[in-house]
Structure formats: structure tokens, C-alpha cells
Amino acid sequence: MAERQGQTAPDAVLTRIGQVVMLLHAGDREEARRRLLDLWAELGECADPLHRCTLAHYLADAQDDPLDELAWDLRALAAAEGGGGAVAVRALYPSLHLNLAADYVKLDRTESAIAHLRRARGAAGVLGEDSYGDGVRARILRLAGRLGEGV
């Protein structure tokens, strides 16, 4: 039974990703990166766009080189764009564009950073009034201030 008492069954892939992310947040970047890459290879090109997007997002966070981080964040955005407009994927657009803006800042590519910051801001309307939405909106404001982009 996929649904019990109004709750849907947990997503096993997202649970596995979450377990590896705990390693990443605990500071074991190399092991987290290895496990995330293994999962990326296991899922393959035809995986659910939400899974690919989430994996690529965390693989970006696990990178040491800013160019590698950018490459994974671009993969995350491409996976989201392949998601057919699913609500879960659309809700990630503000964060995905914000991550790309931050990547471009690290690479001293200000025009690209501003373009993605504007996309993040434009997509922020899908964010809920919750801690996730509040956090993304706060990050948008901080980066806008850093780039001299008025809100």
C-alpha cells in the first residue's frame, strides 16, 4: 500500500541520498562524493528528474573545485528542466539558480551571477512560507546585497 493514513510511502532513493548527505555535513566530503557518484552511476540517465536533480545538487556541494561545482549545479538545473514541470522540481528552481549565481561569483563571472540571481528571485514565488522558503529568500537577499543588486 503506497499510502497509509494520509501519508505517502517514503522515497527510497531520496532516503539514500539523505543518508550520504549526513556524511557530507559531518565533514567527510571525499566519502560522500564517492557514494554520491556511485549512486549517480547506479541511477543512470533515465532516472527520475527529481532524483537526478537532488543528486547533482549534493554532488555540487561535495566538490572542492569551483568549476566542478558549477558543472554539477548545471547538471542539477538540466535535470530539473527535464522534470516536466512537476511541483516538487519547480520548487527547487530558486535554490538551483541561487547556487549557480554563487558558483559564478566564485569564478568572478559577475554578469552570469547576476543573471542567475535574477532567475532565482523571479522563481521565488513558488516558495512556501516555511523555513526552507525563508532560508532561500534570505540567501537571495544576501547575495543581491553582495552583488549590488537591489531587491
Side-chain angles (χ1 to χ4, degrees), residues 12-75:
V13 173
L14 292 179
T15 299
R16 289 174 66 194
I17 294 169
Q19 290 168 340
V20 178
V21 169
M22 286 192 279
L23 278 175
L24 180 62
H25 290 166
D28 195 347
R29 293 169 65 79
E30 188 173 324
E31 180 63 17
R33 184 171 43 243
R34 185 189 64 74
R35 289 186 190 190
L36 290 168
L37 284 168
D38 288 347
L39 188 51
W40 180 265
E42 178 186 326
L43 292 178
E45 296 280 327
C46 297
D48 179 286
L50 178 61
H51 296 159
R52 287 178 58 80
C53 178
T54 304
L55 253 176
H57 164 74
Y58 285 113
L59 271 158
D61 289 349
Q63 302 306 309
D64 296 323
D65 183 302
L67 284 172
D68 293 335
E69 185 176 2
L70 173 63
W72 281 107
D73 277 330
L74 288 169
R75 285 183 189 101

Side-chain angles (χ1 to χ4, degrees), residues 14 48-50 53-54 80 83 85-94 96 126 132:
L14 292 179
D48 179 286
L50 178 61
C53 178
T54 304
V87 172
V89 175
R90 272 197 332 263
L92 299 175
Y93 279 111
L96 294 171
V126 301
Y132 173 75

